[in-house]
Amino acid sequence: MTGPLLNMNIIGKNNLKLQEAWEEGPKTFLGLQVPGFPNMFTITGPGSPSVLTNMPIAIEQHVEWIRDCIDFMNKKEYSTIETDAKSAEQWGHEVNTVANKTLLPTVKHSWYLGANIPGKPKVFMPYAGGLPTYTKICEKHKINPHQMIADGNIREILERDRGHNFEYHEILLDQYFTVYYWEGKIADL
């Protein structure tokens, strides 16, 4: 489940390599985003139902969620979205809690655990709660400006002038995702 992503040698913020970020096992929020890798979305990645469900339906659900997120960001003229480590940790706990209600994690030779790769951390990777439950969870965190404003979840947590004729903004969309954007003339940097 992680091999194709790791083989791409993806590098995030502060030159963080995905291989380094996942050396203890994959950490994602909803299987959609990885902390430290802004604007990177994964489709049917670790932390999503992926291989435990009908893959075309799971792919469609992910693509539509990502499309709606990008559409929202474009409308708001946001340039970056990123989840944080705490959200990924909480989601990882949820993935494990649900998996431990099944026998899936007890099969020590399964590639669901990464057991097919010598030296790879043994971590249960797919979300075993089913696609309908997962979809409801994703919808709860969908970036919908009307819902978010009505719920009071959009709050500006940083706005400052950095002395270069532009302002940096960081908006917490909900407790899991943050959007970053700049206003002003980039040429003044």
Side-chain angles (χ1 to χ4, degrees), residues 27-39:
K27 295 170 183 70
T28 71
F29 179 64
L30 300 176
L32 289 168
Q33 276 212 305
V34 179
F37 295 83
N39 292 346

Side-chain angles (χ1 to χ4, degrees), residues 78-157:
Y78 297 150
S79 60
T80 307
I81 187 166
E82 178 182 5
T83 192
D84 62 13
K86 181 180 178 189
S87 300
E89 182 181 327
Q90 289 172 341
W91 182 247
H93 178 74
E94 174 67 13
V95 168
N96 289 324
T97 298
V98 172
N100 288 330
K101 293 178 182 178
T102 73
L103 295 175
L104 291 167
T106 65
V107 181
K108 300 301 178 195
H109 61 277
S110 172
W111 62 270
Y112 291 172
L113 296 165
N116 59 322
I117 308 292
K120 187 173 183 178
K122 307 297 183 275
V123 177
F124 191 79
M125 293 182 268
Y127 176 71
L131 188 61
T133 300
Y134 174 81
T135 299
K136 287 178 187 173
I137 293 168
C138 287
E139 288 300 310
K140 195 172 91 175
H141 299 293
K142 194 172 208 173
I143 305 200
N144 176 333
H146 304 295
Q147 175 189 349
M148 303 307 266
I149 291 169
D151 290 346
N153 289 334
I154 294 183
R155 62 184 175 90
E156 197 160 314
I157 58 173

